[in-house]
């Protein structure tokens, strides 16, 4: 009996070690020393955006060019990562990034949490609205619903306008889309950015309004960062030598990609319906390579989650009480809190707690396998318990050791019975994998939104990847059916 317990323990230990090792393998690439990580929100052409048809994955723009210039001067390597605007300051605080350049304005509120360089560019707010809507001054917005980017100073200034309802949205393209759909009356967006969107959407116009708050862009750093004086020194040089002007000219006067031709004196344009998938064709390779990201992510999480689920289920039927308690509490917590919350926690808390700068993909795989392990363990436990009790008793009376009994007799039968449930779990995982796009993993969904942002369109890329997701789920279901039939006929 004692021997059996020891064996049980040992096999569980082996499984735990196997999981730990695979984790380390995922996490094994170390960060080069002199690399600075720049975090940005690439929804802001021409400051930072993607042109997937031209430069693929890479984030480009005015801010990025400045960052490249400065880091080169100072002898650092530069790594650029993208996320939602409201995640940028937390990223600095979590030491996930060394600096942020996102057309970010140094406000008193932000200065409490991060340090800023000198200003490197000035900007003004504008009201973006449908042509002919006559919303040109702040006063015109009274009683209206107005879109702003979540966490931006525009959100603050609209909040202060009496009688105006602020609608905070994650991305600038979301604001544009909501205006076009007339769910909001207007948006408050910075001039250089508004210009691009207005040029690409002939049904929109923009009007500059006077700044009431702080304005302009500066580079943000973690509190107490020693980089600030170095960066300021190079910024001063760049201003003196005309380099900043040169870069501003390069980016701010560039013709807007895919802008629809506008004819002078065009009357207010009637809303256009109908979809144009032609616009996403140049970016197809970029979108399609997201299939790999999504697949690797799903397979890795499903596989690790499955192993972890087996371990947990054995814990749950174990006679060793602490293991049972652990597994039960674990499942309860992971099933009882939202997946997206677990994901953001793992992503943002890991660097702060462990000092290890976990990548978004690693954080995603870890959260998903920890989470799906909880669900799968329940399924497996039920599967094991559904196997005829007599078999266990027979094996035990024949003196078959626990490990062999589980591995050769009970688990194979259990797995066969729960296969449909496991397939369900994998399908859920495949679709839920789209959640990782919120922490910036470039999976299918994120690629679709990025292409949408850069082409100033919305539905086409989403519909396109929707079809891809659906096809992936169909093939998964089909593969599982084949497998099930095989297993059935082999019994
Ligand atoms: N300048 C504004 C601010 O600091 C908006 C910046 C938005 N930037 C972006 N990359 N989306 O709040």
């Amino acid at each position: 009996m004692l021997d059996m317990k020891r064996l049980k323990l040992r096999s569980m230990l082996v499984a735990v070690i196997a999981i730990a090792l695979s984790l380390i393998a995922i996490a094994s690439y170390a960060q080069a020393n002199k690399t600075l990580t720049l975090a940005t929100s690439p929804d802001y052409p021409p400051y930072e955006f993607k042109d997937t048809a031209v430069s693929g994955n890479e984030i480009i723009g005015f801010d990025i060019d400045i960052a490249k210039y400065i880091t080169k001067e100072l002898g650092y390597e530069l790594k650029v990562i993208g996320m939602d605007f409201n995640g940028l300051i937390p990223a600095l605080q979590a030491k996930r990034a060394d600096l942020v350049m996102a057309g970010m304005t140094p406000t008193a509120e932000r200065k409490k949490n991060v340090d800023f360089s000198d200003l490197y560019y000035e900007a003004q707010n504008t009201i973006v609205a449908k042509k002919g809507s006559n919303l040109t001054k702040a006063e015109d917005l009274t009683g209206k619903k107005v879109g702003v980017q979540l966490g931006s100073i525009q959100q603050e200034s609209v909040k202060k306008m009496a009688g105006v309802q602020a609608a905070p949205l994650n991305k600038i393209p979301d604001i544009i889309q909501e205006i076009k759909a007339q769910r909001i009356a207007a948006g408050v967006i910075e001039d250089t950015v508004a210009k691009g969107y207005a040029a690409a959407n002939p049904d929109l116009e923009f009007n500059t309004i006077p700044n009431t708050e702080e304005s302009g862009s500066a580079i943000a750093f973690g509190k107490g960062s020693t980089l600030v004086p170095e960066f300021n020194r190079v910024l001063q040089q760049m201003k003196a030598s005309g380099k900043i002007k040169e870069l501003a000219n390069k980016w701010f006067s560039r013709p807007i990609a895919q802008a629809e031709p506008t004819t002078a004196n065009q009357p207010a344009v009637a809303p256009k319906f109908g979809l144009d998938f032609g616009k996403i064709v140049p970016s197809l390779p970029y979108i399609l390579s997201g299939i790999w990201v999504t697949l690797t992510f799903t397979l890795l999480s499903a596989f690790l989650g499955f192993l972890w689920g087996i371990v947990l289920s054995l814990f749950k039927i174990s006679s060793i009480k602490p293991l049972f308690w652990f597994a039960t509490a674990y499942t309860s917590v992971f099933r009882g809190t939202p997946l997206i919350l677990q994901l953001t926690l793992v992503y943002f808390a890991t660097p702060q707690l462990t000092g290890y700068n976990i990548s978004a993909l690693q954080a995603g795989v870890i959260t998903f396998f920890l989470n799906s392990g909880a669900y799968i363990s329940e399924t497996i436990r039920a599967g094991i318990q559904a196997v005829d009790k007599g078999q266990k008793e027979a094996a035990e009376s024949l003196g078959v050791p626990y490990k062999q009994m589980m591995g050769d007799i009970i688990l194979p039968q259990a797995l066969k019975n729960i296969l449909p449930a496991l397939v369900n779990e994998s399908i859920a995982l495949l679709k839920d994998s789209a959640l990782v796009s919120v922490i910036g993993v470039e999976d299918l969904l994120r690629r679709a939104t990025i292409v949408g942002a850069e082409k100033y369109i919305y539905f086409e890329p989403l519909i396109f990847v929707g079809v891809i997701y659906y096809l992936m789920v169909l093939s998964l279901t089909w593969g599982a059916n084949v497998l099930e039939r095989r297993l059935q006929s082999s019994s």
Side-chain angles (χ1 to χ4, degrees):
M1 198 60 206
L2 240 176
D3 217 43
M4 208 179 86
K5 267 194 183 169
R6 204 175 299 146
L7 260 179
K8 260 200 263 181
L9 256 182
R10 206 197 296 155
S11 46
M12 286 168 188
L13 224 94
V14 170
V16 170
I17 291 175
I19 290 180
L21 282 182
S22 9
L23 268 188
I24 294 171
I26 316 172
S28 64
Y29 80 94
Q31 279 249 303
N33 245 345
K34 274 211 119 189
T35 301
L36 293 184
T37 305
L38 163 75
T40 190
S41 163
D43 60 349
Y44 218 50
Y47 288 89
E48 43 267 332
F49 61 106
K50 291 195 172 185
D51 194 343
T52 49
V54 179
S55 46
N57 231 337
E58 216 189 320
I59 301 174
I60 54 174
F62 179 58
D63 283 347
I64 311 301
D65 272 3
I66 296 180
K68 277 191 184 147
Y69 185 92
I70 301 182
T71 45
K72 190 161 165 236
E73 276 305 280
L74 297 173
Y76 295 107
E77 295 290 322
L78 182 69
K79 187 179 147 204
V80 183
I81 56 173
M83 58 183 74
D84 280 355
F85 187 74
N86 62 322
L88 291 173
I89 290 188
L92 282 179
Q93 291 174 319
K95 304 217 178 337
R96 164 160 302 295
D98 302 293
L99 63 150
V100 160
M101 285 188 81
M104 187 180 274
T105 309
T107 62
E109 197 50 43
R110 288 176 183 157
K111 282 183 192 154
K112 288 184 200 151
N113 299 302
V114 295
D115 287 346
F116 280 100
S117 72
D118 300 333
L119 284 183
Y120 60 86
Y121 201 75
E122 276 296 345
Q124 273 202 303
N125 283 341
T126 72
I127 296 176
V128 179
K130 281 246 176 203
K131 254 194 197 142
S133 62
N134 264 326
L135 302 174
T136 56
K137 302 181 296 302
E139 301 81 73
D140 301 337
L141 297 179
T142 317
K144 300 251 159 26
K145 198 167 168 190
V146 176
V148 285
Q149 184 162 38
L150 180 64
S152 70
I153 51 167
Q154 286 71 33
Q155 183 180 9
E156 291 310 308
S157 51
V158 167
K159 261 199 218 150
K160 280 183 201 147
M161 298 177 183
V164 179
Q165 190 193 350
L169 298 164
N170 276 343
K171 297 191 176 59
I172 302 290
D174 300 345
I175 304 177
I176 303 295
Q177 193 54 39
E178 290 291 88
I179 300 173
K180 289 168 76 96
Q182 289 176 313
R183 274 194 289 252
I184 55 182
V188 173
I189 301 177
E190 272 172 351
D191 47 4
T192 20
V193 177
K195 199 170 111 194
Y197 283 98
N201 295 279
D203 52 336
L204 300 183
E205 64 180 7
F206 68 100
N207 287 287
T208 313
I209 50 177
N211 284 333
T212 48
E213 323 274 318
E214 298 103 325
S215 65
S217 314
I219 314 174
F221 301 88
K223 261 266 167 262
S225 168
T226 51
L227 294 170
V228 185
E230 295 180 50
F231 271 68
N232 272 339
R233 183 166 51 78
V234 184
L235 269 182
Q236 288 314 327
Q237 273 172 26
M238 292 177 81
K239 283 182 195 162
S241 68
K243 185 73 197 171
I244 294 267
K245 266 231 176 70
E246 179 195 321
L247 290 177
N249 283 339
K250 166 179 166 193
W251 290 105
F252 295 149
S253 54
R254 93 188 214 293
I256 308 300
Q258 289 83 36
E260 287 158 41
T262 34
T263 16
N265 287 332
Q266 211 176 16
V269 184
K272 266 198 302 177
F273 297 105
L275 301 170
D276 178 7
F277 284 93
K279 280 187 176 172
I280 59 174
V281 170
S283 303
L284 276 187
Y286 172 75
I287 300 185
L288 290 175
S289 37
I291 296 181
W292 281 120
V293 183
T294 293
L295 269 187
T296 347
F297 179 83
T298 310
L299 292 179
L300 215 56
S301 320
F303 177 69
L304 292 174
F306 178 61
L307 292 185
W308 183 220
I310 294 185
V311 175
L312 286 173
S313 67
L314 292 178
F315 282 8
K316 281 181 187 165
I317 55 170
S318 162
S319 47
I320 307 168
K321 279 292 161 219
L323 292 185
F324 169 79
W325 290 327
F326 166 77
T328 311
Y330 179 94
T331 308
S332 160
V333 170
F334 272 87
R335 285 205 305 198
T337 51
L339 181 54
I340 181 109
L341 180 147
Q342 296 163 14
L343 181 66
T344 7
L345 268 185
V346 170
Y347 182 61
F348 284 106
T350 309
Q352 227 162 4
L353 296 180
T354 66
Y356 174 70
N357 198 346
I358 193 171
S359 79
L361 192 68
Q362 290 164 355
V365 170
I366 290 175
T367 317
F368 274 66
F369 103 72
L370 289 179
N371 183 281
S372 89
Y375 285 90
I376 294 182
S377 71
E378 275 302 280
T379 313
I380 300 180
R381 183 187 56 78
I384 293 176
Q385 286 172 340
V387 175
D388 178 24
K389 267 231 162 65
Q391 304 207 21
K392 193 171 168 217
E393 285 160 13
E396 270 169 0
S397 66
L398 284 175
V400 181
Y402 180 84
K403 198 168 122 192
Q404 202 183 342
M405 174 186 76
M406 270 300 169
D408 292 350
I409 304 174
I410 311 282
L411 274 180
Q413 298 183 60
L415 289 185
K416 193 151 107 187
N417 292 336
I418 60 173
L419 191 68
L422 289 181
V423 173
N424 261 342
E425 176 64 22
S426 321
I427 290 178
L429 212 55
L430 179 71
K431 289 178 300 168
D432 287 348
S433 72
L435 282 181
V436 293
S437 61
V438 300
I439 53 170
V441 176
E442 289 195 6
D443 69 327
L444 269 175
L445 178 63
R446 177 133 188 118
R447 283 169 195 250
T449 34
I450 287 173
V451 169
E454 93 192 359
K455 299 288 184 332
Y456 305 100
I457 51 176
Y458 213 78
F459 306 118
E460 291 86 342
L462 283 184
I463 293 175
F464 182 70
V465 297
V467 172
I468 298 183
Y469 275 111
Y470 185 62
L471 291 179
M472 285 178 14
V473 170
L474 279 190
S475 10
L476 193 66
T477 320
W478 174 78
N481 283 342
V482 172
L483 188 66
E484 201 172 335
R485 243 176 284 133
R486 280 254 176 86
L487 287 179
Q488 229 73 56
S489 61
S490 73
S491 63

